[in-house]
Amino acid sequence: MPLSPTEEIKERLDIADVVRDYVKLEKAGANLRAICPFHSERSPSFFVSPVRQTWHCFGGCGEGGDIFTFIMKIEGVEFRDALHMLAERAGVQLPSRGPEVERTESQRKRLSDLVELASQFFEKQLASSEDALLYLASRKVSKEGIAKWRIGYAPLAKRALLDFLLTRGFTEREAMSAGLGVRTEQGVLDRFRGRIIFPVCDTQSRVLGFGGRLLREAEGMAKYLNCPNTILYDKSRALYGLDKAKVAIRRQDALVLVEGYMDVILVFESGFENVVASSGTALTPSQLRILKRYTDNLILAFDMDTAGDTATRRGIDLALEQGFHVKVVEMPKGTDPADVASSSSEEWGERVKTASSILAFYLSSALSRFDKNSPEGKGKIAGEVLGSVKLIPNRIEQAYWVREIAKVLDVSESVVHEELLSIKVQSESAPAFSVPQSSPKLSRRELLEEKVLGALMISPETLGDITDEVIECFSLSTQEILEGMRKSASLDPSDLSGVLSEQAASRLSRLSLQFEVEMEGAEKATEEFASCVRELFRMHARERLDTIAKEIKKAEDEKDEEGLAHLVSEFQVLSRKLHF
Ligand code: ZN
C-alpha cells in the first residue's frame, strides 16, 4: 500500500528540524529540550522526541502532538495549511483538487512570484537611494532592520518597476492585478513612486502586497498608500509583522497592536517583538479570528484620539465580544509608539506593562466629557461604557465593571445592572470561538497507571510482567490498552495503530515521552514500573478485600457454608500477598 501524503511527510521530515526553525533546542538525553513557545516560562519544559517524532510541553500549557499539530499551533493555521506547508518542505506532491482550484492556485503562484520579484527590486533601489537611506537613518531604523523587514524604495520614475517586470516576462495586466500598476491617461504607470516601501507578508513571510510612505511629502499626495485588495492581498486579513511577531506573541501571551509600519518596525527593534499593525486601525472579524489563535490579550497602542473614534471602537467592541482582554497603552500627546520605543525602550516597556483596561479608558474618557454629578451626565457616562461592558462574555468581569461604574457615579449597583440588562446587543461578529480546555487533575490511580504505560513504552521487556493477575488491577480503559499490547506482542506505535484507537495511541506516545523526560534511562523505568505495579496491586487488593469482607458477612447471614469457605480462603491468600 502506498504511503498517504501525511505518512510520507512524516517519513521525510524530522520533527526536530522543523521545530528548530522556531525554538532553540538543546539535548536532554535521548530527547531535545527548549523553552516552550506556547506559554511563558523560565526553565525549559518543552520536549521533542526524535525517536517518536512527537513533542510535548510538561509545563504550564501541556500541549503536545506530532509535526502537523506543531505547525498548526505555532503558525496558527488549520490542518490543510499545515499539510501544504510541510508537503512543500518535504517535496511531497499533494493530490490535485480539480481544474478550477488548480487554475486559481497557479494564478496565485504567478502573482506571488511577481510581488516577490517586485520586493527584491524595491530593496535594490533603496540600497542606491541616499535620500531614502538618510530618512530611515533619521527614524533610527538599523541596517539589520532594513534587511529584516525588507524595506525598499520605489523611485520617482513613472515606470521603473513596470519596465523591470516586463523584462522578467510579466505583463502589465499582471502587474495591475498584483496592485502595482495603475491605468492613467498616459497608459499604465507604477502605483508607487518616490515612496519608502514596506512589503506586507503572510505568516510564512511570503510577500502579499505593499504599503508605501512618501519620501518627500507633497501637496495633493497621500502620505501613505497601500496596494488595493488583490487575490493575494486581502486587507481585512492582513496583519503587518505577524510573521515576525508570532513566536513572541505566543510566548508572552499578549500582542501589541499599533497603527503604522514604522511603529511595528521600531517597537520590534527596541526588543518588544510581540507587535503587529492592522491595515487601518479598525480590527476586522477575520483579523481577530487570526489573532485569537495566538493570544487572548490585546494591547492597543494607538493615538488616544484614534482609540476613541467610532470605527476603531467598533473593532474593539468586536474584540471584547470575542473574549479578548483589551488594554490601552497611554502615550504622551503627539507621539507614536515608534517615537517612544526608539528613544527609550525602558519607557516603552513600562508603558506597555502599565497599560490599562480599555473599559477604564472609556470610563475616564466619558468622565472627562460629561458631568458625573448631574443626573443627565451620569446617564451619558453609563451609556457610553455599558455598551462595551455588555459585550464581555465573562459575567464576573461584567459584574466588576458594573461595580466600578456604580462607584464612580455614586449610584447603586442594581441600577447600573438594570441599565446593563436593558441594552440590546447587535452582534456583528462570527460565531464564538471554542475555548481550549485544560487537562483535568489525575487521581493517584490514574497517575500510577500512566506511569506504568510510560515505563512499558521505554522498556518493552516489562510487558512480560503484565500477567492476568496484574491486568485486573487496572481501570478498564487501561486494561484495553494493555490487552492490545499483549495481543500484538509489540509496543511499536505503528504495530499498535491497528489495535488501539487513535486517542489511545497518542496518549501512549505522550506518556512515553513524559516518562523518558522524568526518568532518563531504561533501568529506572523498570524500577518505576515495578513499584507502580506493586502500588496498583495493593490498591486493587485492598478494594477486593473490602468487597470480600462484605460478601463474607452476607454469606454468614445467609448461612452459606460453602460460599463462606471459599471467600475466607480467598481473603487469606489476598491478605498474605498484600502484607508480603
Ligand atoms: Zn508550554
Side-chain angles (χ1 to χ4, degrees), residues 238-254:
L239 287 155
Y240 183 70
L242 184 58
D243 56 320
K244 298 177 182 64
K246 61 193 175 190
V247 172
I249 295 170
R250 276 266 167 61
R251 188 162 290 162
Q252 292 165 44
D253 192 16

Side-chain angles (χ1 to χ4, degrees), residues 139 259 263 301-306 329-341 343 347-348 351:
R139 295 298 311 264
E259 288 182 84
D263 292 326
F302 294 165
D303 187 297
M304 283 301 149
D305 297 333
T306 320
V329 176
E330 199 92 35
M331 304 250 286
K333 260 255 166 281
T335 63
D336 51 29
D339 302 327
V340 178
S343 60
E347 189 189 335
W348 175 255
R351 283 185 187 275

